[in-house]
Amino acid sequence: MAAPTAPRPGRAIAVITIAVVALYAWMFISGNTTPKLGLDLRGGTSLTLQPVVPEGSDTVITDDAVNQAVEIIRARVDGQGVAEASVTKQGSGANSTIVVEVPGQNEQDLFDKIGKTAKLGFRPVLRSGPPTVVVPTPTPTATPTPSGSASPSVGSTPSPSTTASSTVSPSSTGNPRPATGLKAATASPTVSPTPTPTPTPTPSASSTSVIPSTPITAADQKAFDNLDCTKPIPPEQRPADLPAKTMVTCSSTGAEKFILGPELIPGSDITGASAGLLTSSQGVTTGEWVVNLTFNGDATTKFRDVTRQMFAQTNGSDANRFAIVLDAQVISAPTVNGVISDGRPQISGNFTQQSANDLGNQLKYGALPLAFVPNNLQTISPTLGSDQLRAGILAGLLGLLLVVFYSLFYYRGLGLVSVASLALAGLLTYGLLVLLGHTMGYTLSLAGIAGAIVSIGITADSFVVLFERIRDEMRDGRTLRVAVETGWKRAQRTILAADAVSLIAAVALYLLAVGGVQGFAFTLGLTTLIDVAVVFLFTKPLLTKLARTKFYGNGHKWSGVSPDRLGIHRPTPSARATARKGEPGSNSAAKEA
């Protein structure tokens, strides 16, 4: 940047003054007068996520999968409106962890918002029932009664379907009705009155069926009977969500358990998700929060056919229910009461506004490629953050005062120039941190404060270089006005070189480091650029103006540029007259020539 010309130093000072005034006017008009503070200063939540492989899953934990999870979690955090949270990966491969640090988010349910896999899928309900374990009815003990006195029921042990679900009701003949519900819309919902030897009949699908016919195996039935949904199931113990296979799982509330058929529509076919209030067919808002989904073209067509087939099942059984499965748990299992042909279904399930927003946010940014469990959840109190903030500010003020005292002691009047320049640099730094915090989401951490403290020395170093160049020029016999201009031409190259080194180091640290080191690097780079602007637009022009005053120009003893201070021998009046006579162009010199 070219130095301003000596005759018009006021222009440069006016430019930087207007910039500062405009910056602070924006701050007070917008009401944003403080920077956004980071986790270590403001308090918040730190969560460590450990990737796990559910039982029966063939998922492999790789660096690529963890890196993809980092990006999705970061998008989820940003979608929550949290400013510049830190989401970093530690370790590699199966030993990887993801550390999430959210400033000002003292919430224990942080994992529920950002750490869930959010793998969504739509599956047909094959069977549903109460959440408790099914206890088989004991077989009656045989008694020596005459033949023909036995019970007329079919079999001595009840069919699994009669105890597995309250929705599976026996027919008038005592034979249980098939609970798969996976028959075409034209298939009869009734069953043959003749008892069958198998506990789970396989319905026959018509040629128009879009829902594959899936029998309930003995293993699925056993898992269903033994499943207890009244107890919380950790994520690592939930069933593997394999799209092509059946699933035995619980509802997210633990109020019901299900046998589900293979996945009909994957969550990857969702193109949009948002929370909203349910509106009735008359256009009246009911006050119930739902999550509105939007499918892509192929899923819209398939979902229309699925709902048409399920809607045709008018017997009120599981045949016309489908389950919305999130992270291997059923979050909603509605009954289809109409054909959904526009590809815009709604998920209902006693949501609050916050829970609906959280689910919409999870679905919007896609499913995590891995399952995670919270490994370490720490809450940093605002009190601890306030103590660290006060300690950082105190350290900065002490460093600034030491620089000010040294400048005034060593440079005297010139020290006032450095104090004014430091004050202007401080105003610019604070204002820009506020501006960046409320426009770009930058948060100031303790490491960032450290970078600002280090920058005090860098800024003071620029003043030292300039002052010493000017004093050297004066020792060579130049006046202050001339020394300011000639010294500046030499000093600006040194100042730019030193600031360039600091800026390169800051950029390298920011690009290669993570976490708090990035905050240090960003603040260091920002203050380095501010130093260049202050020196070029304020310090040097101010010196040019001061050189024209009597206090500085005549070398007052407190100006810092007095001959005695610079070690220059002050010539006597006769010596100065003799020197002037010897200067080229003088009359004496001409006569002697």
Side-chain angles (χ1 to χ4, degrees):
M1 179 178 180
T5 57
R8 297 178 180 267
R11 287 187 176 182
I13 296 177
V15 168
I16 197 167
T17 302
I18 292 173
V20 173
V21 171
L23 179 60
Y24 277 80
W26 171 85
M27 288 169 52
F28 287 103
I29 291 174
S30 64
N32 300 319
T33 56
T34 56
K36 289 192 174 182
L37 301 180
L39 178 72
D40 50 357
L41 300 178
R42 184 181 176 185
T45 304
S46 175
L47 175 66
T48 302
L49 301 177
Q50 179 73 44
V52 295
V53 178
E55 296 180 5
S57 175
D58 56 356
T59 304
V60 178
I61 301 176
T62 63
D63 287 334
D64 290 340
V66 176
N67 291 332
Q68 182 183 355
V70 168
E71 296 303 322
I72 295 175
I73 291 176
R74 183 177 289 117
R76 290 182 184 178
V77 173
D78 294 341
Q80 294 286 340
V82 180
E84 198 173 325
S86 173
V87 182
T88 58
K89 171 194 169 190
Q90 296 181 354
S92 61
N95 297 321
S96 299
T97 58
I98 297 178
V99 179
V100 183
E101 295 179 341
V102 182
Q105 194 88 357
N106 291 313
E107 300 179 14
Q108 294 299 317
D109 61 346
L110 178 62
F111 173 74
D112 292 334
K113 291 186 174 184
I114 63 174
K116 285 188 174 180
T117 309
K119 184 181 185 305
L120 186 76
F122 294 79
R123 292 173 176 261
V125 175
L126 304 185
R127 183 162 294 172
S128 63
T132 55
V133 176
V134 175
V135 179
T137 303
T139 304
T141 304
T143 58
T145 57
S147 177
S149 62
S151 172
S153 61
V154 180
S156 60
T157 303
S159 168
S161 61
T162 62
T163 58
S165 172
S166 61
T167 61
V168 181
S169 57
S171 66
S172 59
T173 61
N175 190 42
R177 177 177 47 80
T180 58
L182 297 179
K183 52 177 73 71
T186 58
S188 173
T190 61
V191 296
S192 171
T194 304
T196 57
T198 57
T200 308
T202 304
S204 59
S206 68
S207 59
T208 60
S209 174
V210 295
I211 303 176
S213 176
T214 306
I216 298 177
T217 64
D220 287 339
Q221 185 65 54
K222 182 179 179 181
F224 180 82
D225 291 342
N226 295 331
L227 181 61
D228 186 1
C229 294
T230 60
K231 300 177 182 179
I233 302 177
E236 64 272 18
Q237 295 181 11
R238 293 176 187 171
D241 192 350
L242 304 177
K245 295 184 179 181
T246 58
M247 175 188 294
V248 179
T249 188
C250 301
S251 66
S252 57
T253 60
E256 196 174 9
K257 58 184 177 181
F258 301 89
I259 302 178
L260 306 177
E263 190 173 81
L264 298 173
I265 300 175
S268 57
D269 287 342
I270 295 175
T271 58
S274 62
L277 291 172
L278 180 63
T279 303
S280 66
S281 57
Q282 290 77 24
V284 179
T285 301
T286 63
E288 178 184 357
W289 283 95
V290 296
V291 179
N292 301 304
L293 304 179
T294 304
F295 286 141
N296 60 24
D298 293 339
T300 297
T301 302
K302 187 170 184 178
F303 195 66
R304 178 198 62 200
D305 297 337
V306 168
T307 55
R308 177 184 291 118
Q309 180 175 333
M310 288 185 173
F311 181 55
Q313 305 296 329
T314 58
N315 51 23
S317 68
D318 291 332
N320 60 349
R321 296 180 71 190
F322 67 87
I324 304 172
V325 183
L326 178 69
D327 291 346
Q329 286 189 320
V330 177
I331 59 174
S332 182
T335 298
V336 177
N337 54 12
V339 179
I340 303 176
S341 58
D342 60 355
R344 296 178 180 273
Q346 291 179 330
I347 302 177
S348 60
N350 297 322
F351 291 115
T352 63
Q353 180 179 3
Q354 185 63 50
S355 61
N357 283 324
D358 292 342
L359 178 57
N361 180 55
Q362 291 171 343
L363 300 180
K364 183 189 305 180
Y365 298 109
L368 294 176
L370 299 169
F372 290 89
V373 293
N375 190 20
N376 185 22
L377 179 64
Q378 295 180 339
T379 299
I380 299 177
S381 67
T383 302
L384 178 60
S386 299
D387 292 341
Q388 292 176 334
L389 178 60
R390 283 193 293 270
I393 293 176
L394 179 61
L397 289 177
L398 287 176
L400 184 62
L401 288 175
L402 288 174
V403 172
V404 168
F405 287 149
Y406 178 81
S407 298
L408 294 176
F409 173 77
Y410 189 78
Y411 289 108
R412 298 188 179 183
L414 282 180
L416 295 175
V417 178
S418 65
V419 171
S421 300
L422 282 172
L424 181 62
L427 288 174
L428 277 173
T429 301
Y430 183 83
L432 288 176
L433 289 177
V434 174
L435 177 65
L436 294 174
H438 292 277
T439 57
M440 298 177 58
Y442 172 75
T443 55
L444 180 63
S445 63
L446 192 61
I449 292 179
I453 295 174
V454 170
S455 70
I456 296 174
I458 295 175
T459 304
D461 181 65
S462 299
F463 305 151
V464 170
V465 171
L466 178 57
F467 293 164
E468 290 301 323
R469 285 291 187 182
I470 292 173
R471 287 154 65 106
D472 286 343
E473 294 294 327
M474 294 185 69
R475 291 188 182 99
D476 289 342
R478 295 180 177 85
T479 63
L480 178 60
R481 294 182 64 174
V482 176
V484 167
E485 302 304 322
T486 56
W488 168 247
K489 290 181 180 179
R490 296 181 179 181
Q492 64 178 327
R493 291 193 294 268
T494 305
I495 293 172
L496 287 175
D499 284 340
V501 171
S502 297
L503 186 61
I504 292 172
V507 172
L509 276 176
Y510 186 83
L511 295 177
L512 299 178
V514 295
V517 180
Q518 280 189 323
F520 172 85
F522 183 87
T523 310
L524 180 62
L526 177 66
T527 51
T528 300
L529 294 175
I530 291 174
D531 172 50
V532 174
V534 169
V535 170
F536 276 79
L537 298 178
F538 182 77
T539 307
K540 174 5 183 99
L542 182 60
L543 284 173
T544 299
K545 278 187 167 292
L546 294 178
R548 299 173 183 176
T549 64
K550 292 182 179 180
F551 181 81
Y552 288 94
N554 292 340
H556 191 277
K557 65 177 182 178
W558 292 105
S559 65
V561 288
S562 63
D564 293 339
R565 188 71 178 172
L566 299 178
I568 302 174
H569 176 68
R570 187 186 295 273
T572 62
S574 58
R576 286 199 299 268
T578 302
R580 284 197 299 271
K581 289 180 181 180
E583 289 179 357
S586 64
N587 292 335
S588 299
K591 290 179 180 180
E592 291 176 1

